[in-house]
Amino acid sequence: MNSALQTLQERGFIQQCTDLEGLSKAMDSGPVTFYEGCDPTGPSLHIGHMVPYFAMRHLHEAGHNAIVLMGGGTARIGDPSGKSSMRQIISYEEIDANAKRFLGQIDRFLKLDDRTMYSENNKNWLADLNYIDFLRDIGRHFSVNHMLSFEAYKMRMETGLTFIEFNYQLLQSYDFLQLYKRHGCRLQIGGNDQWGNIVAGIELIRRVEGAECFGLTFPLVMTSDGKKMGKTEKGALFLDPAMTSPYDFFQYWRNVADADLERFLLLFTFLPTALCKELAAKKDAELNESKARLAWEVTSLIHGAEEADRALAAAKAAFGGPGGSGADMSQVPSRELPRSELAAGIGVLELFVLAGLSSSKSEARRLVQQGGATINDRKVDDEKASIDATWLDSEGALFLRAGKKRVFRVVAK
RNA sequence: GGGGAGAUUCCCGAGUGGUCAAAGGGGGCAGACUGUAAAUCUGUUGGCUUACGCCUUCGAAGGUCCGAAUCCUUCUCUCCCCA
């Protein structure tokens, strides 16, 4: 098999391919232009979007040409695949703003060069589409009978599917056709939920252009306990540091289940396959080193090495053991508190709420009552305790710990 | 158009006049055990409060009653069946 595909294969990227052998031959005989599309319907990409982009980078490094397609046009409609209800309609301005942010994040990760790796936006050909022409030229190639047999629509047949959503597949197929015509794009990659749409595009190109194209899909990554990867209590793991701090981002990876480690190393880092396997094969406490490595690598890819170092330092400081003597606490999430307020003493409960470790005083009270609250490694079990300057550590800070994993630093100023 | 069922606290789901901040499960949080893992066990899970207690919550708005998630009226939405 073609080496680029081989790489994807052994790293666990490949879920389905329309013609693996044919694609392999095509890739062997020269650079293949491929694309992945994504609708900018939210303010930031999240980790769930990233598997195709990791694959994209692997393929690009193997010498193939990548097109990052922004669904600026399709986002106006909404893809019904895998959804149980109609997508909320958002304004054009919002879509464009989202697309700009998405591209910024992708550029940081992929480093677009406008030559072998560039972006397109389907609003360029969808926005002013002529309805009649579209029906004549494109619509006639689609069989409703066939479309209705797709799982994606079946599910929605139960709950209701609007006509515009039903059209989504035509638009996505049309995208592929446009990219084929404009850029000679012959391969579409994406999450496995895109399978039906991808195949439809390939069909369309065959009928209209008589050309053979390919589709390749990746698994929708789940954690070993069956949840969608990247979902946290607070929501998705976003790439935007303002929405998910690099520290939280790092901690997510640092805390993955043992069973997920190898898969995640292979999918979300560019470490050599052999090394990934070696890291994941470690036993007991040593596995933690491997998880830290995973966390550092992914954080570095998304937020840069500097942020990754900081997050690592913060994690070490927070979990390095009692006292954390000499550890660099400065990277732990923190905020300042005027010394004057501290002088008078502040209630533990207020303090934990202020630090964002508890969402209400009741919750903070529970935390204290259950013995999960610690300030500078001193357990606080009196909910009425008043915290004043005498609690400060040598650096003039209060290191709050809620349970084992959540930490926050309040610095007296 | 006709008939039926339903909307409950983060989710699922009990409750059908006071003992209901509301069973049970899930999820979350905390504790034990550990490796910042998994599994397991325990506790906890609307807000304010030291507490007594108070406030907000059972689709929405009114009403009955000493008292309503529970009864009545209107409205909104969802599902099912018949046409």
Side-chain angles (χ1 to χ4, degrees):
Chain A
M1 198 193 304
N2 173 270
S3 64
L5 288 174
Q6 185 70 47
T7 303
L8 291 185
Q9 176 95 288
E10 68 189 25
R11 287 190 158 254
F13 278 92
I14 299 181
Q15 172 94 359
Q16 289 192 85
C17 182
T18 51
D19 175 10
L20 200 53
E21 213 173 295
L23 178 59
S24 180
K25 278 190 191 135
M27 287 186 150
D28 278 341
S29 63
V32 168
T33 297
F34 66 101
Y35 93 96
E36 198 271 335
C38 158
D39 287 350
T41 50
S44 168
L45 284 169
H46 57 257
I47 202 68
H49 288 112
M50 294 308 289
V51 171
Y53 293 118
F54 273 87
M56 190 172 258
R57 206 165 126 172
H58 280 294
L59 290 175
H60 181 254
E61 275 168 16
H64 302 287
N65 301 321
I67 303 173
V68 174
L69 180 72
M70 277 297 120
T74 35
R76 300 176 182 183
I77 297 292
D79 179 9
S81 302
K83 307 275 189 318
S84 53
S85 58
M86 184 167 165
R87 180 181 279 160
Q88 225 180 308
I89 298 289
I90 54 179
S91 74
Y92 291 5
E93 293 73 37
E94 208 176 321
I95 290 169
D96 287 344
N98 290 339
K100 203 171 164 191
R101 270 192 295 267
F102 277 29
L103 272 179
Q105 294 171 341
I106 288 168
D107 187 28
R108 172 170 194 136
F109 176 74
L110 291 176
K111 313 213 167 32
L112 305 181
D113 63 7
D114 291 328
R115 198 169 44 79
T116 60
M117 176 115 75
Y118 47 94
S119 70
E120 263 285 11
N121 191 323
N122 65 15
K123 80 171 181 182
N124 294 150
W125 54 82
L126 291 182
D128 300 318
L129 209 54
N130 178 295
Y131 191 60
I132 299 298
D133 291 345
F134 185 74
L135 289 180
R136 282 173 53 125
D137 301 337
I138 306 300
R140 67 197 183 92
H141 295 296
F142 286 79
S143 152
V144 171
N145 304 255
H146 188 219
M147 283 174 74
L148 287 176
S149 71
F150 284 111
E151 202 50 50
Y153 295 116
K154 264 188 197 159
M155 192 167 75
R156 291 294 300 280
M157 292 298 283
E158 308 288 323
T159 56
L161 177 68
T162 64
F163 188 66
I164 56 169
E165 288 180 285
F166 189 60
N167 273 269
Y168 190 89
Q169 186 170 90
L170 304 226
L171 296 183
Q172 187 166 331
S173 300
Y174 187 65
D175 283 346
F176 199 173
L177 177 62
Q178 284 297 318
L179 290 172
Y180 173 78
K181 286 193 187 167
R182 294 171 185 228
H183 303 288
C185 180
R186 296 188 61 204
L187 166 68
Q188 179 178 178
I189 63 176
N192 199 240
D193 55 340
Q194 294 304 309
W195 180 254
N197 293 337
I198 292 174
V199 172
I202 292 170
E203 283 285 305
L204 179 65
I205 294 173
R206 183 166 53 226
R207 291 181 188 205
V208 175
E209 300 287 317
E212 187 192 8
C213 288
F214 304 93
L216 180 63
T217 62
F218 313 119
L220 301 175
V221 186
M222 305 293 262
T223 58
S224 56
D225 47 0
K227 290 179 193 147
K228 251 189 200 157
M229 217 278 311
K231 287 281 177 206
T232 68
E233 315 77 59
K234 292 171 205 137
L237 251 208
F238 291 104
L239 301 208
D240 182 343
M243 295 172 72
T244 300
S245 73
Y247 173 79
D248 286 334
F249 187 86
F250 181 96
Q251 285 297 161
Y252 177 85
W253 299 100
R254 174 59 189 80
N255 282 306
V256 298
D258 292 6
D260 293 325
L261 186 54
E262 181 173 319
R263 250 174 350 121
F264 288 3
L265 278 164
L266 289 167
L267 289 172
F268 297 104
T269 76
F270 292 97
L271 297 174
T273 305
L275 179 56
C276 291
K277 297 202 165 171
E278 190 185 315
L279 286 170
K282 305 253 185 189
K283 292 281 173 275
D284 302 322
E286 284 190 13
L287 255 193
N288 284 333
E289 293 301 315
S290 301
K291 288 184 188 177
R293 182 68 185 275
L294 168 69
W296 189 89
E297 293 290 337
V298 189
T299 308
S300 169
L301 286 167
I302 302 301
H303 295 296
E306 202 174 304
E307 285 296 338
D309 285 340
R310 284 182 192 224
L312 179 64
K316 270 194 184 150
F319 296 101
S325 48
D328 179 9
M329 295 292 216
S330 62
Q331 304 307 333
V332 173
S334 67
R335 64 164 287 172
E336 294 175 343
L337 183 70
R339 273 187 186 275
S340 55
E341 273 186 53
L342 204 56
I346 177 169
V348 228
L349 305 185
E350 282 96 86
L351 190 60
F352 273 83
V353 171
L354 181 123
L357 292 175
S358 301
S359 58
S360 70
K361 286 168 88 176
S362 298
E363 195 178 297
R365 180 172 295 114
R366 251 171 257 135
L367 182 72
V368 170
Q369 284 169 348
Q370 295 183 123
T374 295
I375 298 178
N376 287 336
D377 294 312
R378 250 169 94 184
K379 184 188 265 192
V380 184
D381 50 15
D382 178 6
E383 60 192 78
K384 281 169 282 180
S386 173
I387 309 304
D388 56 30
T390 63
W391 287 73
L392 292 171
D393 64 14
S394 55
E395 289 169 54
L398 299 170
F399 182 67
L400 311 190
R401 199 185 281 277
K404 291 186 194 105
K405 292 193 188 161
R406 294 178 302 131
V407 299
F408 195 84
R409 201 156 165 267
V410 175
V411 184
K413 177 89 176 179

